[in-house]
């Protein structure tokens, strides 16, 4: 029982740190966010941060991972269910694109968030891109077509649209690729 409470407390602390860090990174950007900012926002001491994470980059990686990892089982459920390519592709991108976008859109440093991950953690970003390609290819059944679709999706976000606008754009793009 004690181990369970300790694990539960650790999980809650980790979640508090990641939530606080996401808020700080979106408000101040990666460069201007300090470990003190994150600790303060998470209501923890800075030494407690170091018990969970090596440094700010480690926290950033964990924040990025947390945005997507929990969503992948839902994507796989969508892919396993019957449905049209249009419906599946829309649902997959609702989960991996629109849901995270809704969390960050409108934040002062939203434009920097994905770019900072690409710059600081290219292997993390590349791993997620490979996974998204695999999911897209499961629907479109063509790697080249899936790669072009993903490039087009990147373009949909270039002007940092509101989530509602991004959803409309995505629906139009999916329609074109699944006709």
């Amino acid at each position: 029982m004690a181990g369970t409470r300790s694990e539960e407390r650790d999980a809650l602390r980790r979640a508090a740190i990641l939530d606080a860090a996401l808020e700080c990174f979106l408000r101040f950007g990666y460069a201007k966010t300090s470990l003190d900012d994150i600790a303060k926002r998470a209501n923890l001491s800075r030494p407690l941060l170091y018990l969970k994470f090596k440094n700010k980059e480690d926290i950033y990686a964990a924040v990025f991972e947390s945005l997507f990892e929990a969503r992948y089982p839902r994507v796989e459920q969508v892919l396993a269910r019957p449905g049209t390519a249009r419906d599946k592709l829309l649902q997959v991108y609702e989960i991996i694109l629109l849901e995270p976008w809704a969390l960050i859109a409108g934040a002062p440093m939203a434009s920097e968030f994905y770019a900072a991950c690409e710059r600081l953690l290219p292997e993390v970003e590349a791993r997620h891109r490979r996974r998204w390609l695999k999911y897209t290819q499961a629907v479109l059944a063509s790697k080249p077509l899936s790669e072009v679709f993903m490039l087009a999706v990147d373009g949909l976000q270039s002007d940092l649209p509101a989530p509602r606008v991004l959803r409309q754009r995505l629906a139009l793009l999916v329609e074109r690729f699944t006709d």
Side-chain angles (χ1 to χ4, degrees), residues 120-133:
L120 297 166
L121 308 159
E123 69 289 344
V124 171
E125 200 266 344
R127 185 169 20 88
H128 287 286
R129 297 285 297 180
R130 284 190 301 274
R131 197 152 188 187
W132 300 340
L133 177 60

Side-chain angles (χ1 to χ4, degrees), residues 53-92:
F53 300 97
K54 294 183 296 197
N55 53 34
K56 184 167 70 168
E57 188 176 296
D58 195 29
I59 294 172
Y60 200 82
V63 166
F64 195 80
E65 294 282 1
S66 74
L67 275 177
F68 298 105
E69 285 299 327
R71 289 178 166 80
Y72 292 152
R74 290 178 36 224
V75 169
E76 290 168 13
Q77 289 172 349
V78 166
L79 294 174
R81 290 192 299 256
T84 66
R86 181 198 170 283
D87 290 344
K88 284 186 179 192
L89 196 57
L90 202 50
Q91 288 175 41
V92 165

